[in-house]
Amino acid sequence: MTTTDDLSDMIPKLKSLPEFTDIDKPRFIDDGGYGDVYLVNQRKSLAGKILFASDELKARFRICELQKEYNICGFLFINGVSVPRPKGIYRLSVDFVKPERRERYGVPQPAAFVMEYIHGISKEEDFSEREKEVALRLRDRELDKARCLGYIAIDVGFGNIVYQPEQKRVVLIDYGLWERK
């Protein structure tokens, strides 16, 4: 029987990731069931997603999950689906994070999926009824594009889109529960 210890050599090591050092006025954006998102560089408009982990081994497994999201996002981006421009997977020093949140990452420099920060509406309670209607129609158009490329999104609620009303644009975010058809 194969154990987690037997597989640990196959899991990327955190130190193998480049360190993201271009932090500029970071701030908390949102949390989800599996992680947190931060604006890590306001000047360059970059966000970083960090997944929760209980220890270093789990934090290393999270690299694989973030790599999957990065690959999906990159593929969708180059094929014209409205997603943030992906930058990469990095080790991110979380010194700027409140200590009680920092403990949720399992290590002092967890892996982060860094991508373009998209400004807009993403919390359902912040949408007007008209904006909901428009945003859902635009979301469905982007999801159709993704389906044509072979991807199915399992979790596509308001928390997984960013609506930009001025541009009449929806950006799909969070690919943790996406699957290849």
Side-chain angles (χ1 to χ4, degrees):
M1 178 174 178
T2 305
T3 66
T4 312
D5 291 336
D6 297 331
L7 298 175
S8 68
D9 288 340
M10 298 171 62
I11 306 164
K13 297 198 177 352
L14 288 162
K15 290 191 187 267
S16 69
L17 297 174
E19 185 176 355
F20 185 84
T21 57
D22 197 12
I23 297 173
D24 175 53
K25 298 180 185 158
R27 69 174 171 84
F28 178 78
I29 297 173
D30 201 7
D31 62 350
Y34 300 102
D36 293 330
V37 179
Y38 294 90
L39 179 61
V40 293
N41 187 307
Q42 287 189 22
R43 186 176 25 82
K44 294 183 179 176
S45 202
L46 295 173
K49 177 179 183 177
I50 303 171
L51 297 177
F52 302 141
S54 53
D55 56 35
E56 184 174 346
L57 184 59
K58 184 67 172 177
R60 288 173 56 198
F61 274 110
R62 296 300 198 186
I63 297 171
C64 300
E65 295 173 46
L66 290 170
Q67 188 67 51
K68 173 192 163 209
E69 288 198 55
Y70 170 77
N71 291 340
I72 292 170
C73 184
F75 181 78
L76 296 174
F77 181 81
I78 63 173
N79 283 286
V81 179
S82 183
V83 297
R85 176 185 296 271
K87 182 163 176 60
I89 307 295
Y90 297 88
R91 274 182 301 129
L92 181 65
S93 175
V94 290
D95 295 339
F96 61 87
V97 176
K98 292 178 183 173
E100 62 273 11
R101 290 202 81 77
R102 198 179 315 148
E103 291 173 11
R104 302 169 85 181
Y105 308 136
V107 292
Q109 286 189 316
F113 170 22
V114 178
M115 68 199 97
E116 169 189 19
Y117 170 68
I118 305 295
H119 183 74
I121 305 169
S122 61
K123 294 191 183 300
E124 185 171 4
E125 61 269 15
D126 295 337
F127 284 82
S128 70
E129 287 306 313
R130 176 72 181 131
E131 287 172 329
K132 282 182 186 179
E133 186 180 304
V134 172
L136 291 175
R137 189 172 58 249
L138 294 169
R139 178 205 63 187
D140 291 346
R141 186 179 326 152
E142 296 305 316
L143 289 172
D144 285 343
K145 290 180 195 177
R147 268 191 289 282
C148 288
L149 294 167
Y151 283 98
I152 297 173
I154 307 301
D155 186 8
V156 292
F158 286 100
N160 293 329
I161 65 170
V162 177
Y163 176 53
Q164 298 176 308
E166 304 80 31
Q167 293 94 342
K168 296 282 188 258
R169 175 180 179 226
V170 159
V171 179
L172 304 175
I173 57 172
D174 193 355
Y175 321 99
L177 296 177
W178 285 54
E179 295 179 359
R180 188 92 169 137
K181 294 197 268 188

